C-alpha cells in the first residue's frame, strides 16, 4: 500500500502512472483522436542500427500530427563514422533529407504510411507500420524493415493542468545504412499532451518539472532467438512504471520500481545505472562506449541521451541486436527524491 506524507491538491495524484500492454494496429496508429483530454503531438520512429564493423547509426524523425505542436526535431541522424568514436550528428546528411513539417499520412489496408511531400526540398522519405511489419526509407541514406517484437506498451500520467499519454512498440529491423549492412531495433512511439504541448519541450509534465532520473525504452534480441522488450521510468514523488515482455508472451507491469544512476565528475552521461522491480528483480545498464549522444548537449533534447543495453543481473545470454536508448539527468537527481545538480 502506498503511503502519503501529505494531502494532495485536487486532481493531483503525485505522479502516479497507469501502465498496460497495448494491441498494435494501423487504424489505431492512424487515428488522430485524443485521449484523457490530451491531443496527439506526434509519432516518433527512432532507434540504433549496427554494422559488422561495430559502427552505430541512430536516426530519429518527427512525424507531426495535425493537432501537434512542433519541437526543434524534424530529422536527426547520428553516426560513429565521423571520427569521434561516439554518436554525433551528421549534419550534411541530415540537411540532405526532406525536413518535412507535416507529413502526408494515409491508411492503406492494414498499414499506415507517413511520407514526405512531393514539394519538400531534399531527399524523400517514407515510414510504414502495421501490427506485424515496419519499414523506413530515407532516400540516399538508409532502407530498413522488419517485424514487431511482442506487443505494444502504453502508460498514462495525469496532472492538474497537463498530462501525458504515451505508446511505444518495438520492431527488429535489417537493411542498409550509408552503404553498410545493418541490423537493430526501432521504437515507434506516439505522444499525447495538453494542447500546445510538445514532447521534451513544452507542457511536458515530466521533463519540464525535472521529475525523472532514469527513463528508457529497450529491446534485446538474443542469439538463441529469445528477446526482452521493455519501457520504464524512475522519478521523484511517486513517478515510476515498468512494463517488460518476452518471446513467451509473458507481459509484466509494475509501478513499484526504484533505481539509481551514477555520473562521473564533470559528466552528463551515466557510467552505471540499475533498477529494481518489486523489491526483488534487478536490471543493469551496460553503456555502449560509442553510445554517448554528445551532439544533444546544450541543445535539444535537453537531456543526455545515451545508447547501451539493459539486462537482468546474472543473465548470460548472448545478444544479437538491441536497442537501449534512454536518458538519465544528473540535474534531476540520481534516485527517487534525491535531487541532483548541474555541473559546476
Amino acid at each position: 500500500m502506498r503511503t502519503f506524507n501529505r494531502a494532495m491538491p485536487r486532481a493531483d495524484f503525485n505522479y502516479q502512472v497507469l501502465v498496460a500492454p497495448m494491441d498494435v494496429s494501423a487504424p489505431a496508429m492512424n487515428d488522430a483522436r485524443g485521449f484523457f483530454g490530451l491531443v496527439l503531438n506526434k509519432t516518433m520512429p527512432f532507434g540504433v542500427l549496427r554494422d559488422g564493423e561495430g559502427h552505430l547509426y541512430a536516426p530519429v524523425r518527427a512525424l507531426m500530427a495535425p493537432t501537434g505542436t512542433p519541437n526543434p526535431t524534424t530529422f536527426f541522424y547520428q553516426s560513429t563514422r565521423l571520427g569521434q568514436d561516439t554518436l554525433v550528428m551528421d549534419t550534411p546528411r541530415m540537411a540532405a533529407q526532406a525536413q518535412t513539417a507535416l507529413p502526408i499520412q494515409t491508411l492503406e489496408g492494414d498499414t499506415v504510411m507517413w511520407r514526405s511531400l512531393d514539394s519538400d526540398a531534399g531527399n524523400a522519405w517514407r515510414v510504414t507500420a502495421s501490427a506485424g511489419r515496419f519499414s523506413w526509407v530515407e532516400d540516399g541514406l538508409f532502407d530498413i524493415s522488419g517485424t514487431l517484437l511482442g506487443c505494444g506498451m502504453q502508460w498514462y500520467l495525469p496532472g492538474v493542468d497537463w498530462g501525458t499519454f504515451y505508446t511505444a512498440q518495438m520492431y527488429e529491423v535489417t537493411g542498409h545504412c550509408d552503404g553498410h549492412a545493418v541490423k537493430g531495433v526501432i521504437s515507434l512511439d506516439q505522444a499525447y499532451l495538453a494542447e500546445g504541448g510538445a514532447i521534451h519541450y513544452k507542457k511536458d509534465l515530466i521533463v519540464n518539472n525535472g521529475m525523472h532520473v532514469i527513463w528508457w525504452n529497450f529491446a534485446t534480441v538474443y542469439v538463441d532467438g529469445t528477446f526482452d522488450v521493455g519501457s520504464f521510468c524512475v522519478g521523484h514523488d511517486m513517478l515510476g512504471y515498468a512494463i517488460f515482455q518476452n518471446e513467451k508472451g509473458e507481459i509484466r507491469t509494475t509501478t513499484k520500481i526504484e533505481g539509481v544512476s551514477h555520473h562521473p565528475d564533470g559528466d552528463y552521461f551515466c557510467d552505471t545505472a540499475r533498477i529494481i522491480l518489486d523489491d526483488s528483480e534487478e536490471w543493469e545498464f551496460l553503456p555502449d562506449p560509442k553510445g554517448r549522444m554528445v551532439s544533444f548537449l546544450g541543445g535539444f533534447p535537453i537531456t543526455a541521451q545515451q545508447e547501451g543495453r539493459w539486462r537482468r543481473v546474472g543473465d548470460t545470454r548472448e545478444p544479437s541486436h538491441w536497442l537501449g536508448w534512454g536518458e538519465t539527468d544528473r540535474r534531476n537527481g540520481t534516485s527517487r527524491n534525491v535531487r541532483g545538480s548541474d555541473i559546476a
Side-chain angles (χ1 to χ4, degrees), residues 20-31 43 107 109-112 114 128-134 146-154 166-171 186-190 229 243 245 251:
M22 179 191 71
D23 283 331
V24 175
S25 78
M29 286 184 275
N30 185 64
D31 197 340
T43 303
L107 181 63
D110 65 352
T111 301
V112 60
W114 299 265
T128 68
S130 71
R133 301 284 305 176
F134 173 86
T147 56
L148 183 70
L149 290 167
C151 66
M153 302 171 285
Q154 58 183 339
Y166 199 96
T167 73
Q169 61 236 30
M170 305 283 199
Y171 298 87
I186 297 292
S187 186
L188 185 64
D189 298 8
Q190 291 185 304
V229 171
I243 175 168
Q245 54 182 306
I251 307 168

Side-chain angles (χ1 to χ4, degrees), residues 24 27 52 72 82 105 107 110 129 142 145 159 179 196-197 211 241 244 260 263 285 290 293 302 320-321 337:
V24 175
L82 300 178
Q105 180 177 329
L107 181 63
D110 65 352
F142 64 78
S145 61
M211 291 300 294
Y241 76 88
F244 284 42
V260 62
H263 304 81
F285 179 58
K290 300 179 180 181
M293 302 185 189
I302 61 174
S320 168
H321 45 286
N337 295 331

Side-chain angles (χ1 to χ4, degrees), residues 93-156:
R93 290 298 185 89
M94 289 164 53
Q97 303 306 115
Q99 305 297 309
T100 308
L102 183 65
I104 294 172
Q105 180 177 329
T106 57
L107 181 63
E108 301 175 3
D110 65 352
T111 301
V112 60
M113 180 176 67
W114 299 265
R115 68 174 180 87
S116 54
L117 282 63
D118 295 338
S119 59
D120 283 342
N123 295 331
W125 61 269
R126 182 181 71 256
V127 173
T128 68
S130 71
R133 301 284 305 176
F134 173 86
S135 71
W136 187 356
V137 178
E138 296 278 344
D139 285 353
L141 184 54
F142 64 78
D143 184 341
I144 55 174
S145 61
T147 56
L148 183 70
L149 290 167
C151 66
M153 302 171 285
Q154 58 183 339
W155 54 269
Y156 170 56

Side-chain angles (χ1 to χ4, degrees), residues 99-260:
Q99 305 297 309
T100 308
L102 183 65
I104 294 172
Q105 180 177 329
T106 57
L107 181 63
E108 301 175 3
D110 65 352
T111 301
V112 60
M113 180 176 67
W114 299 265
R115 68 174 180 87
S116 54
L117 282 63
D118 295 338
S119 59
D120 283 342
N123 295 331
W125 61 269
R126 182 181 71 256
V127 173
T128 68
S130 71
R133 301 284 305 176
F134 173 86
S135 71
W136 187 356
V137 178
E138 296 278 344
D139 285 353
L141 184 54
F142 64 78
D143 184 341
I144 55 174
S145 61
T147 56
L148 183 70
L149 290 167
C151 66
M153 302 171 285
Q154 58 183 339
W155 54 269
Y156 170 56
L157 175 64
V160 176
D161 297 307
W162 309 340
T164 303
F165 174 51
Y166 199 96
T167 73
Q169 61 236 30
M170 305 283 199
Y171 298 87
E172 60 174 330
V173 297
T174 59
H176 289 81
C177 180
D178 195 19
H180 304 276
V182 293
K183 59 182 178 180
V185 176
I186 297 292
S187 186
L188 185 64
D189 298 8
Q190 291 185 304
Y192 299 76
L193 301 171
E195 186 174 356
I199 196 73
H200 266 99
Y201 194 53
K202 296 178 181 177
K203 298 184 179 181
D204 186 319
L205 188 58
I206 295 176
V207 174
N208 290 146
N209 290 308
M211 291 300 294
H212 70 290
V213 294
I214 306 173
W215 193 0
W216 248 271
N217 281 2
F218 80 93
T220 302
V221 180
Y222 300 94
V223 171
D224 63 8
T226 60
F227 66 77
D228 290 313
V229 171
S231 177
F232 61 86
C233 179
V234 180
H236 300 305
D237 292 346
M238 293 181 176
L239 177 61
Y241 76 88
I243 175 168
F244 284 42
Q245 54 182 306
N246 60 29
E247 79 289 344
K248 300 175 184 177
E250 298 170 338
I251 307 168
R252 300 175 296 138
T253 70
T254 186
T255 56
K256 192 171 187 179
I257 176 174
E258 300 298 336
V260 62

